[in-house]
Amino acid sequence: MPLNRRKFLGRSAATGAGVALAGGVAAPLAEAAEAADAADAAVVPGAARPGKRPRRYSFTVMGTTDLHGNVFNWDYFTDKEFDDKDHNDVGLAKISTLVSAVRKEKGRRNTLLIDAGDTIQGTQLSYYYAKVDPITAARGPVHPMAQAMNAIGYDAAALGNHEFNYGIPVLRKFEQQCDFPLLGANALDAKTQRPAFAPYSMHRLWTPHGRDVRVAVLGLTNPGIAIWDKANVQGKMTFPGLEEQAAKWVPRLRSMGADVVIVSAHSGSSGTSSYGDQLPYIENAAALVAEQVPGIDAILVGHAHTEIPEYLVENKKTGKKVVLSEPLKWGQRLTLFDFDVEWSKGRWRVVKAGAKVLNSNAVAEDRRITRLLGDEHKKVVAYVNQVIGTSKEAMSTAEGPYKDVAIIDLINHVQAETVRAALAGGAYAKLPVLSQASCFSRTAKIPAGEVTIRDAAGLYPFENTLEARLITGAQLKDYLEFSARYYVRTAVGAPVNPAKLTNADAIPDYNYDALYGVTYEIDIAQPVGSRITKLRFDGKDLDPKAEFVLAVNNYRASGGGNFPHVAAGKQVWANSDEIRNTIISWVKAKGTVDPAEFASVGWRLTREGAPVF
């Protein structure tokens, strides 16, 4: 979709000039207050008059991130109320209750509400309105996330990388449906290198002491979009580094009169990247922005799916402490940034800033939100419960992270079969097809008997698509060694606790791959890099020079997880349909799922040749 320059400049001018006033303050009143304050400053420049108390004002900025399509406290994959081992709750209906309580305590006009991105992807609710009943259709529906966030009263939201999963037209339609700006200072038009979205928004908070407090929100998104959603953004948008763009925009915001600058960054705080050297930018750069760019008061952190109530980072140039906070994903937490400002030398200055998080499981859902979207919720529940086939046996991912289980073999089998059929009759038809898959959820299940859309979709909660890349036997060995870093080194004879065996060095489950089409063992007693043994294809030791086709998801193929060789490998086929839809279509076509047709023990954990399980 072409960029609408007039629309962008209009929105940018409106937000940049501070026309959008928080708390319903009319522009003439604000101007009158500003004039009176200027006259006062002209009599006695600087802070409060001698003998007078300094003029102070306090306000709160609330923040969410990584909502991922969660409105209700509901798990569409299990078809019941959401719950986890820590008894967290999820959803904007819960967040709405917390926000209302904070506004009641602080005063509505003394608060702002912002988000740090990844809003329109992640649940079957958000999928339904992107793919099944798309918001882009003629007279299409309003996206549930737009409806909920408008009703709650968000003031601004940064773009997340998953905003681009469904393509730019869906994102632009969502943007049109929101009553608040979507911000992305480092999401640039590929041709003009100008911002493709509003870079910032300016908000004015009324004070009883004259001039309003001007609060600027700068939005920064993740440069990894250029890799992860290459098919959707290549040639249309570019995504430079967060530090670079923050250094460009923060001084501008200060020169425009911003008293407080808050960055909403869809970027974690660890300073690491999951895609290695695929891009010259840091994926999780929020702390580096705070450290390197002067003039920032606080950063709402997103993307990493971790909970950081408060994290203080010292700016190297000014020595000032910048407060960072990341609320837990899916609406499980709400961040509160509390600011105290003082009038000094003709402007408001931050004298105190802190952060904390509120837990959404402490409150009930806001019935105003659940009523508003009740019909949408019912439609999606009916959709995901459609029966698409039957299974002869029950299958589960519960042991998938440390055992070769049938349900992961199902994913791999469907992927390999799909690629093999696509390559038939072509130049690569005679090459063996292998496949990779990860255990995305440890609670996914295929029951014995009827299989529904939600059962099949639960195996693949991400909107990944399928590709085929060329790989050699030697490269395959490197790939498996890299994947095997996932296991904690465990000496021969030492007790093995499955709960503590995986996720070494905080490697997430989705960055451990099981390969299908070869057999191998992983010796967890050995150091990283020397764990893969008995690697065989068709019963024979793998030839390092042999060539294979690897069926691989687009995240891994584009460098996600920094696995070796695949991103640089030749692409011989790619598909635009989500892998989970491919699985659903396969089950529909087969009618009956029989693990005996595809399941086998292709890999196992060992110690000096002895099986661990």
Side-chain angles (χ1 to χ4, degrees):
M1 177 177 290
L3 300 178
N4 188 326
R5 184 174 181 272
R6 178 177 294 177
K7 178 185 175 185
F8 164 69
L9 291 176
R11 171 173 281 180
S12 182
T15 55
V19 176
L21 304 180
V25 182
L29 290 178
E31 291 167 4
E34 204 167 310
D37 191 64
D40 179 59
V43 175
V44 182
R49 294 185 179 92
K52 297 262 187 175
R53 285 174 132 189
R55 287 177 291 177
R56 289 199 171 187
Y57 172 68
S58 299
F59 66 95
T60 296
V61 177
M62 297 173 281
T64 54
T65 190
D66 296 279
L67 293 168
H68 283 288
N70 284 280
V71 174
F72 298 85
N73 186 39
W74 193 260
D75 186 338
Y76 292 97
F77 292 131
T78 61
D79 199 26
K80 61 184 180 182
E81 186 174 293
F82 177 89
D83 194 23
D84 63 15
K85 61 182 178 62
D86 298 317
H87 302 297
N88 288 304
D89 288 345
V90 300
L92 277 170
K94 291 269 186 170
I95 290 295
S96 182
T97 302
L98 291 175
V99 167
S100 295
V102 172
R103 286 172 174 165
K104 183 177 181 180
E105 177 189 350
K106 307 282 186 179
R108 175 66 175 86
R109 64 186 180 184
N110 300 321
T111 64
L112 294 172
L113 175 60
I114 64 176
D115 183 79
D118 274 7
T119 304
I120 60 172
Q121 175 277 338
T123 64
Q124 287 292 287
L125 179 71
S126 54
Y127 177 82
Y128 186 89
Y129 288 98
K131 292 288 190 177
V132 181
D133 185 11
I135 61 174
T136 49
R139 299 184 180 180
V142 177
H143 199 288
M145 295 302 287
Q147 290 192 60
M149 295 174 82
N150 289 342
I152 295 169
Y154 273 78
D155 294 288
L159 294 164
N161 54 285
H162 283 288
E163 260 65 86
F164 294 85
N165 285 173
Y166 298 118
I168 292 173
V170 170
L171 175 55
R172 287 298 188 194
K173 188 64 177 181
F174 175 70
E175 180 189 27
Q176 292 171 11
Q177 294 177 342
C178 291
D179 295 339
F180 51 90
L182 299 183
L183 308 178
N186 63 327
L188 308 182
D189 180 270
K191 293 181 180 178
T192 66
Q193 288 299 293
R194 297 190 178 202
F197 295 84
Y200 64 90
S201 58
M202 191 78 79
H203 310 268
R204 301 172 80 166
L205 300 175
W206 182 86
T207 79
H209 303 302
R211 203 195 81 181
D212 301 337
V213 173
R214 295 183 176 118
V215 180
V217 179
L218 177 67
L220 296 171
T221 192
N222 205 288
I225 295 166
I227 286 179
W228 304 322
D229 269 300
K230 181 178 179 180
N232 291 327
V233 302
Q234 188 174 33
K236 300 173 184 176
M237 294 185 191
T238 61
F239 302 88
L242 283 83
E243 307 101 303
E244 167 194 322
Q245 294 300 303
K248 173 182 176 180
W249 284 100
V250 171
R252 292 188 185 186
L253 296 174
R254 290 294 184 182
S255 70
M256 291 176 194
D259 302 297
V260 181
V261 174
I262 299 170
V263 174
S264 183
H266 193 75
S267 180
S269 60
S270 66
T272 61
S273 290
S274 67
Y275 49 80
D277 59 0
Q278 296 294 307
L279 274 182
Y281 307 119
I282 300 297
E283 176 184 353
N284 296 301
L288 294 174
V289 171
E291 187 180 82
Q292 297 176 12
V293 181
I296 298 170
D297 295 294
I299 300 180
L300 178 65
V301 179
H303 183 62
H305 289 200
T306 57
E307 182 178 346
I308 305 174
E310 182 182 65
Y311 175 33
L312 298 178
V313 176
E314 183 176 303
N315 185 269
K316 285 186 174 181
K317 295 182 180 179
T318 65
K320 176 185 173 181
K321 301 284 188 179
V322 183
V323 59
L324 281 65
S325 180
E326 181 176 6
L328 200 57
K329 64 186 185 298
W330 305 346
Q332 295 179 27
R333 304 288 186 273
L334 175 71
T335 279
L336 302 187
F337 290 107
D338 290 314
F339 296 94
D340 291 341
V341 294
E342 183 176 300
W343 183 259
S344 174
K345 297 181 181 179
R347 55 163 289 191
W348 290 105
R349 300 177 188 274
V350 175
V351 293
K352 185 180 179 182
K356 62 182 179 182
V357 296
L358 302 180
N359 194 330
S360 65
N361 70 10
V363 297
E365 290 184 310
D366 185 341
R367 293 184 62 192
R368 180 173 61 104
I369 303 302
T370 56
R371 283 198 298 263
L372 175 68
L373 291 163
D375 288 344
E376 287 83 349
H377 175 66
K378 290 176 183 176
K379 284 182 182 178
V380 176
V381 169
Y383 163 74
V384 300
N385 281 293
Q386 292 179 44
V387 176
I388 56 174
T390 60
S391 177
K392 287 191 173 182
E393 296 178 18
M395 295 178 281
S396 167
T397 57
E399 296 181 321
Y402 50 89
K403 288 184 181 180
D404 187 348
V405 294
I407 200 166
I408 302 299
D409 285 345
L410 172 60
I411 298 173
N412 271 320
H413 178 74
V414 172
Q415 291 181 166
E417 193 173 87
T418 301
V419 169
R420 198 175 291 114
L423 297 179
Y428 303 98
K430 293 183 179 180
L431 289 181
V433 177
L434 313 179
S435 179
Q436 63 80 220
S438 303
C439 181
F440 293 119
S441 166
R442 299 192 183 200
T443 59
K445 297 177 182 178
I446 296 290
E450 292 184 339
V451 178
T452 64
I453 285 178
R454 67 179 172 85
D455 295 325
L459 301 182
Y460 226 104
F462 299 106
E463 276 75 33
N464 291 344
T465 58
L466 188 60
E467 296 190 17
R469 299 279 177 127
L470 294 184
I471 192 168
T472 67
Q475 291 173 334
L476 200 67
K477 173 76 157 43
D478 291 344
Y479 189 101
L480 286 170
E481 288 286 7
F482 184 86
S483 185
R485 301 173 310 129
Y486 172 74
Y487 294 106
V488 175
R489 188 177 184 182
T490 309
V492 175
V496 176
N497 181 352
K500 297 180 179 180
L501 180 61
T502 62
N503 307 101
D505 296 323
I507 296 170
D509 291 346
Y510 63 76
N511 273 339
Y512 170 69
D513 285 357
L515 289 194
Y516 181 82
V518 291
T519 60
Y520 57 97
E521 295 181 356
I522 304 173
D523 191 335
I524 60 173
Q526 299 303 313
V528 168
S530 302
R531 293 181 169 180
I532 302 302
T533 64
K534 299 181 181 178
L535 177 56
R536 292 168 182 159
F537 171 72
D538 202 18
K540 300 176 182 178
D541 289 345
L542 193 72
D543 180 357
K545 296 181 180 180
E547 199 170 36
F548 300 88
V549 173
L550 180 64
V552 60
N553 67 54
N554 68 302
Y555 172 77
R556 189 71 77 237
S558 60
N562 200 26
F563 277 62
H565 306 304
V566 175
K570 181 179 176 61
Q571 182 193 81
V572 297
W573 178 81
N575 188 13
S576 61
D577 200 17
E578 291 96 347
I579 292 171
R580 64 179 169 201
N581 279 345
T582 302
I583 296 171
I584 289 168
S585 297
W586 186 89
V587 173
K588 283 182 177 179
K590 292 286 289 185
T592 300
V593 178
D594 184 0
E597 295 179 3
F598 55 81
S600 63
V601 179
W603 64 272
R604 70 182 73 210
L605 301 184
T606 62
R607 287 184 292 187
E608 293 186 351
V612 174
F613 299 106

